[in-house]
Amino acid sequence: AEPRKIRGQFFEMGIDDHPALQRAKLQNMVTVVDSEAFFDIYQSEDEVGSRPDLADGDGIVEGTALRRKIVDLVAEQIEVADYVLLNKADQVDA
């Protein structure tokens, strides 16, 4: 997911007083990092389009998102997060 875009959509909905915000609000964003795979992903030059598992729920990635580097998406997810959870941290050598 592209969290900056999601946060922006909630912000715009707040400005427009969207009725959906009567039932839901975005309070915090959490990113879960696979500690074991993080450095391999961070050093990768792969593009999102090469990883169908990174597509939306329908298996679709649209437009320029296909050419976006996976590392850029990962960095955005970490930068925008209010909380970062490190999964598999016990499997990483110090």
Side-chain angles (χ1 to χ4, degrees):
E2 297 176 287
R4 190 168 283 122
K5 181 191 278 186
I6 293 168
R7 185 167 285 200
Q9 290 171 335
F10 269 86
F11 180 76
E12 289 175 16
M13 288 170 43
I15 291 172
D16 296 337
D17 199 28
H18 195 281
L21 294 181
Q22 294 175 3
R23 297 196 176 262
K25 71 177 185 174
L26 179 64
Q27 190 167 356
N28 292 300
M29 296 192 88
V30 178
T31 293
V32 178
V33 174
D34 182 343
S35 299
E36 186 177 33
F38 177 76
F39 287 109
D40 289 336
I41 293 169
Y42 196 75
Q43 295 172 357
S44 171
E45 290 292 320
D46 293 343
E47 295 178 343
V48 171
S50 70
R51 295 273 307 272
D53 58 314
L54 297 177
D56 68 13
D58 297 325
I60 299 169
V61 177
E62 296 182 4
T64 58
L66 285 170
R67 295 186 301 275
R68 185 175 186 186
K69 301 280 185 203
I70 294 172
V71 65
D72 294 336
L73 177 60
V74 169
E76 177 184 331
Q77 290 173 340
I78 293 171
E79 289 170 357
V80 173
D82 297 303
Y83 298 97
V84 177
L85 300 176
L86 301 177
N87 187 26
K88 303 178 190 174
D90 60 322
Q91 298 179 21
V92 177
D93 294 330

